[in-house]
Amino acid sequence: MPLSLTKINYKTFLINFLFSFIPISFVAGNLILNLNILLFIIFTIIFYGKDIFAQNLNRLDKIILIFFAYTIFIGILNNFYLQSDLMEGDYTITIKTVLYLRFLIFYFIIKTLINKNLINFKSFFIICFICTYFISLDLIYQLNFGKDIFGYVSTDPRRLAGPFGTEFIAGSYLQRFSLFALFLFPIFFNNKDKIYLYILLLLTFILIISGLIIAGNRVPLILFVILIACVLFFYKPMRKYLLSFFILSTIILTTLWNFNPNIKNHLNAFTERVSEVVEFAATVMIKNKESNYEVDKDNIIEYYKYSIYVNGKVIPLKNIYIKEFYSGYQTWLENKYIGGGIRSFRYNCATFNCSSHPHNYYLEILSELGLVGFFLILFIFYKVLFNSFLNLKSKKLDLNHNKIIIPFMFLLLVEIFPIKSTGSFFTTGNATYLFLIMSITIALSQTSKKKI
């Protein structure tokens, strides 16, 4: 008997297809990611618009609404009434702010779909598992043959990009999505033979940690280790893998360190940068501390271009991240309370040779949304994490049904970790990822039992 099309829930199928395609869209690039999110929003509103706009708002929802309303107000205020000479006739801030509203809609859509039990998380985790294996294996292939399976050749001997071409974000991708690969089988499959699960998890972990080291993105590697440590500490069923995971990490890191000079030099350079950051912070904060920076006065133009004057001392900014952080701090001082509006940093930067953003979420929020926006977003982050961890600790969440929240809540914790270099908070990739994991964490933490 032929299959009746009326028996297929095409609405749920299409929504879950677009939702599960998000990890692939991150690999495909911003164009595909924007298209994916746009289609996801459009079709969900067409199918479930009444439910989305009729839902009852809790306190956290209202704070998030206030945050987005504030971004609109500040964008219009800066673009039309406090406009600088560089922005004359340029309405980028207003346009970017309006477009940013799609993530508010995205947030309420995700919440609605979870509350109606319409999201198939299993397919999402499977896609993350496949993407994690693919990118890790592609990086290993590129390390051994000089190019990846698509023919991309790395332009930096210290870092590899794999399928991302010239963008060195493979490590960041693995740090963000590989945890779902580790949780796939423990959550969704009935593993009667524990030895096979143990072997599979160890092999997956070996592949992920190898990919992270080969990619050369040092901060994602450190964040991944922190992430695994947090999960193993707070989530009892995974603790039995703790020793094995860290022994394997040490062995893999030591092996690649000793047999690949590029990886060794790249990781060594990270310790130098950390020491430079510490030295800079100490010199700035301690009035009588002498600076240990060597001054290259032969190149006097560059010397003054990347230097600051603090406590009677001229301190060269030899580390690019120090320069960007300092630029973000100085730009915030120009407009402490309301900021310059979303994506205004490039116009308002108070130092020389600025990037498009200060490479730190919180400095960017301070410089573009001021103290008001900063405290709003800080309260949102605090409230989300407090509720999820409190429910976990008090066992209000039925983990037999709702343990799916574990990877999302810890990924959110690592994503908003303040002491790290980041991309722009308001770009498509970062905003999509942040609101994806945040909205899922919120929705799952506000109910005691969800179908997965």
Side-chain angles (χ1 to χ4, degrees), residues 103-115:
F103 297 109
L104 175 63
I105 302 171
F106 182 69
Y107 163 75
F108 282 111
I109 283 174
I110 292 291
K111 277 197 65 183
T112 301
L113 293 176
I114 291 177
N115 289 333

Side-chain angles (χ1 to χ4, degrees), residues 350-411:
T351 61
F352 293 101
N353 195 30
C354 294
S355 179
S356 59
H357 58 89
H359 289 83
N360 178 272
Y361 282 163
Y362 298 96
L363 285 173
E364 184 179 15
I365 293 167
L366 279 169
S367 63
E368 298 190 353
L369 297 178
L371 284 173
V372 177
F374 176 77
F375 284 117
L376 280 173
I377 199 68
L378 213 60
F379 177 81
I380 292 170
F381 290 158
Y382 162 77
K383 190 67 175 174
V384 175
L385 291 175
F386 179 81
N387 289 346
S388 56
F389 277 94
L390 180 65
N391 288 339
L392 180 64
K393 185 177 180 180
S394 63
K395 301 187 184 303
K396 290 182 180 179
L397 295 176
D398 183 353
L399 290 181
N400 290 325
H401 298 273
N402 213 9
K403 58 188 174 182
I404 194 173
I405 195 178
I406 300 293
F408 288 100
M409 59 191 286
F410 283 107
L411 284 168

Side-chain angles (χ1 to χ4, degrees), residues 168-179:
F168 298 103
I169 57 173
S172 178
Y173 183 93
L174 290 174
Q175 178 257 305
R176 285 178 163 182
F177 290 99
S178 61
L179 191 62

Side-chain angles (χ1 to χ4, degrees), residues 254-290:
T254 303
T255 302
L256 291 172
W257 178 289
N258 290 323
F259 289 94
N260 191 300
N262 289 328
I263 292 176
K264 181 177 182 179
N265 293 335
H266 191 53
L267 293 176
N268 281 337
F270 181 70
T271 60
E272 295 176 8
R273 291 201 170 187
V274 171
S275 64
E276 288 175 356
V277 171
V278 173
E279 171 64 23
F280 173 81
T283 305
V284 170
M285 290 187 293
I286 303 176
K287 186 173 182 179
N288 296 321
K289 189 180 188 316
E290 294 294 331

Side-chain angles (χ1 to χ4, degrees), residues 191-217:
N191 303 281
K192 295 182 180 179
D193 196 335
K194 300 299 180 182
I195 187 64
Y196 288 124
L197 173 61
Y198 184 77
I199 294 173
L200 180 61
L201 285 175
L202 289 183
L203 288 175
T204 303
F205 183 80
I206 290 172
L207 198 62
I208 293 169
I209 202 74
S210 299
L212 281 163
I213 296 172
I214 292 170
N217 304 122

Side-chain angles (χ1 to χ4, degrees), residues 59-73:
R59 181 182 299 177
L60 185 56
D61 294 335
K62 293 175 182 178
I63 296 296
I64 291 173
L65 276 171
I66 291 172
F67 172 75
F68 276 90
Y70 174 77
T71 62
I72 291 289
F73 170 74

Side-chain angles (χ1 to χ4, degrees), residues 218-267:
R218 296 163 296 198
V219 172
L221 174 61
I222 294 172
L223 291 177
F224 179 77
V225 173
I226 294 173
L227 179 66
I228 293 298
C230 289
V231 170
L232 294 174
F233 179 78
F234 284 98
Y235 187 48
K236 187 176 180 180
M238 296 288 282
R239 289 179 190 170
K240 53 190 172 184
Y241 306 110
L242 175 64
L243 184 61
S244 300
F245 281 176
F246 283 99
I247 290 176
L248 283 171
S249 298
T250 303
I251 293 173
I252 295 168
L253 180 59
T254 303
T255 302
L256 291 172
W257 178 289
N258 290 323
F259 289 94
N260 191 300
N262 289 328
I263 292 176
K264 181 177 182 179
N265 293 335
H266 191 53
L267 293 176

